[in-house]
Amino acid sequence: MRRTYIFFLLILILEVTAKAQSLTLESPDKNLKVKLLIGGEISYELAYKNKSYITPSKISMSLSNGVILGNQAKLTGAKRTSVNRQLRPLNGISDLVKEKYNELKLQFKGGYSLTLRAYDEGFAYRYGTTFKDSIRVMSETSEFCFNANYPAYFHPALSESEYRLQKISEQLQPNYSSLPVLVKASGLSILIHESDVLDFPCLAIRSDYKRQNTLTGVHSYFPRKTEVGGYSNFGLIVKETEPYLAKTAGSRFFPWRLLAVAENDRDILKNQLVYMLASENKLEDISWIKPGKVAWDWWNTMNLTGVPFKAGINTATYKYFIDFASANHLEYVNLDEGWSDQFDLLKVNKDVDMNELTRYAKEKGVGLILWCVWRTLDRQMMEALDQFQKWGISGVKVDFMDRDDQILVRFHERLLKEAARRKLLVNFHGAYHPNGMSRTYPNQINAEGVKGLEWNKFDSLGTNPVHDVTIPYIRMFAGSMDYTPGAMQNYNRKDWRLIPDRPVSQGTRCHQLAMYIVYYAPLQMLADSPTAYEKEPEYLKFLSSVPTVWNETVPLSGEAGKYVAVARRKDDTWYLGAMTNWDRRELPLLLDFLEPDKKFIAEIFSDGANAERSGNDIKHDFMEVKKGDRLDISMAGGGGWAAIIRPANPDRKL
């Protein structure tokens, strides 16, 4: 009898303990539910509208002192908080972000915490530590165990590649994807990414070798030995690594690991979870940070025509670019590779009079942005940035990092701090995908991390419309995207060729035009030659007028890899952009977002009747519209569509 009593008492204790170590967190709309399991390990589950999508997935972090965050965890405290507030980004897809979430912060014996947040838009978690001395992080376990073998979009390179659609458990080579990763679950799109990555390597994922339907996190280890290499010796290639990921402060929060959710792909276009989770602005003065458009010299190989001088890397050519920018209200000109010695930023090209150029640009009201090799700028950072400040330069375009270890993440932050002290913008190229740094340091005005238009200049496959309508749902979710659109010679799939010194795009002219609305980029390039634009004034007028940051964004329709349509507002004017893959497409666009009881004039650019044969063919129309109207648009294969909708002026004739 006594043994039976003890047996049942033990069962009761175990049941109570198990219950106490199972905690739940719901999103404000109660659609998303997270269950945290605390025992020998910490794991989480995720369900949406009562359907399980993530089965128990382990999360832990191992330190060099033998401590494993999340192992044999002993809970010492729990605090629940609900937040409902408004954020106002400096430059974004909207000027108001409504942040609403439920938070659960858990304290554990041993000096660490785990914070979980459930938003209507997704779920995020991160560890924090409160150790006195610095620590070494040996490894981190981040599992994403799905309930089925769903299709997933892998990005099998750090910075720039096509997206590869595969099943979660397909171990294609390379078995690697940088983030974000889009998983097309049954009835739900789920994006895996991270935010607030400071002084820590970036997260990537792979298909798990042992566990079905599972993606696991991987990191770059801390470099021990590097040597010069890569394209034109612009990079530092890691040859040996330390046995740890990071050496960092003992008291800190680690990056957020996040899962964003969307029932319809189009809703990804307005999901700002990465921004919301990032650290707040650390710069005291941000009044000087100005978005805008950029005349770019490199992609078009300075192919100026009808000018009285020999175009090239010289003062006369750059002055022409400055004149073009000034005449068309473009805020900046980018001086790309060649203005200086690539390995000595203080050694200016003998054919470039930098003092005269900076004087001339200032006179014309145009800012200059200088391209730099990252390892050169890293070595010369203080003296180079000081010189740029003396010249009156507006920003730097930093290239060829091609790594995401702790050293490179530190370089990003250090450069942003030093650049801000000198009122310099920073545009990262050859870089890992954005993960919230632009909120923390708003002078990060843009980032590449995308296979963009430049690949039509040196890659036999180039970039195509299928890729172009995939990246808004994956790469652009991470943050602003320097795709560098604007090609003036546009070809169909059959006729396109790689022409390095006179590059052309795949798809139609309207496909390129729509990118200026669909692709979010506070610093947006005009990639082609000024004289090419000047020959088509209606097209140039559109490019001159389209904003680069927005007051409001309304996704209209779309599906990753197939098509995209979005409306964005600036002041009282709406800009609509739509793009399709290689399929012809008819698409209804409802104008429900317009202000009621008002008339508007829509200026419309659409694919011409012969756009599939000659991609440059474009049609330009005007029509009256009002709230509730439906526009039935037609796009050629590889095509696009764009419109500017302004309040009607009674004195204006169509």
Side-chain angles (χ1 to χ4, degrees):
M1 182 74 179
R2 179 178 175 81
R3 278 185 290 181
T4 303
Y5 171 77
I6 293 173
F7 175 73
F8 282 109
L9 181 61
L10 285 171
I11 290 176
L12 180 62
I13 292 171
L14 287 171
E15 287 177 346
V16 171
T17 302
K19 185 177 181 181
Q21 301 301 322
S22 175
L23 303 168
T24 60
L25 184 67
E26 288 185 332
S27 59
D29 64 6
K30 300 189 182 303
N31 286 332
L32 188 148
K33 184 176 180 180
V34 177
K35 183 177 182 181
L36 193 72
L37 306 170
I38 305 171
E41 300 170 324
I42 293 180
S43 62
Y44 71 96
E45 301 174 0
L46 185 144
Y48 188 82
K49 290 190 173 179
N50 296 318
K51 180 178 179 179
S52 171
Y53 285 97
I54 303 290
T55 60
S57 302
K58 291 184 289 187
I59 53 176
S60 65
M61 188 174 288
S62 299
L63 310 182
S64 61
N65 60 5
V67 174
I68 301 177
L69 312 187
N71 187 38
Q72 302 299 323
K74 298 188 183 302
L75 188 63
T76 61
K79 181 180 179 182
R80 292 183 181 270
T81 308
S82 294
V83 170
N84 186 355
R85 62 176 178 171
Q86 295 181 343
L87 309 176
R88 295 195 175 273
L90 177 63
N91 298 308
I93 63 170
S94 63
D95 57 14
L96 180 66
V97 177
K98 295 179 180 179
E99 183 178 36
K100 191 175 182 181
Y101 63 85
N102 293 323
E103 180 179 279
L104 174 61
K105 186 170 183 180
L106 306 174
Q107 298 289 342
F108 294 96
K109 184 179 179 181
Y112 69 95
S113 64
L114 177 64
T115 305
L116 302 94
R117 286 185 185 175
Y119 295 77
D120 295 345
E121 301 93 335
F123 159 68
Y125 72 86
R126 71 170 173 185
Y127 277 108
T129 53
T130 55
F131 302 127
K132 181 180 178 182
D133 299 322
S134 64
I135 57 176
R136 285 194 175 120
V137 179
M138 308 305 290
S139 65
E140 178 184 2
T141 298
S142 304
E143 289 186 343
F144 307 93
C145 305
F146 288 84
N147 67 315
N149 193 19
Y150 296 120
Y153 282 93
F154 268 47
H155 188 267
L158 171 64
S159 182
E160 302 164 43
S161 80
E162 298 278 346
Y163 282 87
R164 186 179 75 201
L165 185 57
Q166 64 172 77
K167 291 295 186 72
I168 289 172
S169 293
E170 265 187 286
Q171 292 176 16
L172 302 181
Q173 297 303 316
N175 185 5
Y176 165 89
S177 180
S178 56
L179 300 182
V181 166
L182 173 60
V183 177
K184 298 289 290 180
S186 176
L188 194 68
S189 291
I190 301 175
L191 281 151
I192 302 171
H193 197 43
E194 60 182 346
S195 186
D196 206 27
V197 181
L198 300 169
D199 198 29
F200 202 76
C202 296
L203 180 69
I205 62 95
R206 69 183 180 197
S207 179
D208 194 280
Y209 290 108
K210 298 179 180 179
R211 190 170 179 181
Q212 286 292 306
N213 311 333
T214 298
L215 301 174
T216 56
V218 293
H219 297 83
S220 296
Y221 281 84
F222 192 91
R224 175 188 294 162
K225 179 182 177 182
T226 61
E227 43 181 68
V228 173
Y231 177 79
S232 294
N233 285 332
F234 287 164
L236 289 175
I237 309 301
V238 177
K239 292 297 183 180
E240 296 178 12
T241 62
E242 300 287 355
Y244 54 84
L245 305 181
K247 183 177 180 180
T248 187
S251 183
R252 60 163 295 173
F253 287 108
F254 290 90
W256 290 101
R257 282 55 181 101
L258 67 90
L259 290 158
V261 297
E263 293 185 57
N264 190 304
D265 280 356
R266 71 175 178 228
D267 293 330
I268 297 170
L269 302 174
K270 64 179 181 180
N271 191 311
Q272 299 190 67
L273 195 56
V274 177
Y275 174 85
M276 289 187 279
L277 289 166
S279 291
E280 295 183 11
N281 168 40
K282 292 186 177 184
L283 304 181
E284 291 184 8
D285 178 17
I286 57 175
S287 62
W288 55 274
I289 298 173
K290 304 296 182 187
K293 292 185 287 294
V294 189
W296 188 28
D297 58 349
W298 182 83
W299 191 81
N300 59 79
T301 326
M302 299 181 174
N303 288 324
L304 300 180
T305 58
V307 297
F309 54 86
K310 189 172 182 179
I313 301 172
N314 56 53
T315 302
T317 299
Y318 286 137
K319 279 191 171 182
Y320 194 96
F321 273 78
I322 292 168
D323 287 338
F324 169 74
S326 178
N328 293 285
H329 312 292
L330 310 181
E331 289 79 2
Y332 303 101
V333 168
N334 192 115
L335 278 60
D336 216 283
E337 182 180 5
W339 71 269
S340 75
D341 186 306
Q342 294 97 326
F343 305 109
D344 186 351
L345 297 171
L346 304 178
K347 186 178 180 181
V348 179
N349 187 309
K350 61 181 177 58
D351 296 322
V352 176
D353 186 339
M354 188 60 73
N355 290 319
E356 171 59 15
L357 271 184
T358 52
R359 181 205 65 79
Y360 191 73
K362 184 177 180 181
E363 178 183 293
K364 293 286 186 174
V366 175
L368 298 182
I369 295 172
L370 301 180
W371 176 89
C372 311
V373 172
W374 88 271
R375 73 176 181 89
T376 305
L377 183 58
D378 188 37
R379 190 184 71 249
Q380 295 183 308
M381 188 174 293
M382 299 307 179
E383 52 188 335
L385 295 183
D386 284 346
Q387 182 60 65
F388 297 169
Q389 184 182 32
K390 289 176 184 176
W391 281 334
I393 299 301
S394 296
V396 292
K397 176 183 174 182
V398 192
D399 211 346
F400 288 98
M401 282 78 74
D402 297 323
R403 286 166 38 196
D404 64 353
D405 51 65
Q406 187 184 26
I407 287 179
L408 263 294
V409 174
R410 284 174 172 172
F411 167 78
H412 277 64
E413 185 173 12
R414 184 163 59 93
L415 174 59
L416 289 166
K417 287 179 179 177
E418 294 299 334
R421 291 188 179 108
R422 297 160 179 84
K423 296 187 176 180
L424 293 168
L425 303 174
V426 179
N427 182 7
F428 288 112
H429 269 235
Y432 56 78
H433 299 170
N435 46 36
M437 191 84 83
S438 60
R439 181 185 182 187
T440 312
Y441 298 97
N443 60 321
Q444 181 179 315
I445 196 68
N446 210 351
E448 189 187 31
V450 67
K451 187 177 182 182
L453 189 69
E454 67 174 8
W455 283 72
N456 285 321
K457 190 177 169 73
F458 53 74
D459 180 66
S460 61
L461 297 178
T463 51
N464 63 69
V466 177
H467 174 74
D468 296 341
V469 296
T470 301
I471 55 180
Y473 303 101
I474 309 176
R475 163 59 185 85
M476 202 168 71
F477 164 75
S480 65
M481 185 174 72
D482 201 11
Y483 179 96
T484 67
M488 293 296 285
Q489 293 298 320
N490 320 107
Y491 287 81
N492 59 32
R493 177 161 37 181
K494 176 174 65 73
D495 294 337
W496 182 83
R497 296 291 184 272
L498 174 65
I499 310 173
D501 289 333
R502 301 191 69 184
V504 299
S505 76
Q506 300 182 47
T508 70
R509 174 70 58 78
C510 276
H511 188 81
Q512 290 287 308
L513 193 67
M515 291 177 180
Y516 286 86
I517 299 166
V518 174
Y519 292 170
Y520 165 56
L523 192 72
Q524 184 65 280
M525 300 276 184
L526 274 67
D528 221 318
S529 165
T531 54
Y533 292 121
E534 288 167 341
K535 291 171 185 174
E536 300 195 34
E538 287 184 343
Y539 188 79
L540 178 56
K541 183 181 177 183
F542 174 92
L543 295 183
S544 300
S545 63
V546 67
T548 65
V549 296
W550 308 96
N551 300 119
E552 185 179 357
T553 289
V554 178
L556 300 178
S557 62
E559 184 177 349
K562 294 184 178 180
Y563 69 101
V564 59
V566 65
R568 303 191 194 271
R569 179 179 61 83
K570 184 68 174 179
D571 300 327
D572 62 356
T573 301
W574 285 91
Y575 298 79
L576 280 64
M579 301 160 61
T580 184
N581 56 15
W582 285 120
D583 296 333
R584 299 178 189 179
R585 198 171 302 276
E586 308 290 326
L587 199 64
L589 299 182
L590 299 177
L591 305 184
D592 293 342
F593 50 83
L594 294 178
E595 200 173 341
D597 303 321
K598 282 191 176 183
K599 291 183 178 180
F600 296 83
I601 303 297
E603 181 180 7
I604 299 171
F605 295 83
S606 54
D607 292 322
N610 297 296
E612 287 187 349
R613 184 169 63 183
S614 175
N616 292 13
D617 191 20
I618 190 169
K619 186 181 179 185
H620 186 200
D621 297 302
F622 292 86
M623 65 182 297
E624 289 188 356
V625 296
K626 64 183 185 302
K627 181 180 177 66
D629 283 352
R630 189 178 94 172
L631 299 180
D632 293 311
I633 73 170
S634 177
M635 293 182 284
W641 182 93
I644 305 175
I645 301 181
R646 303 177 178 93
N649 183 342
D651 299 326
R652 179 175 177 171
K653 296 181 180 180
L654 292 180

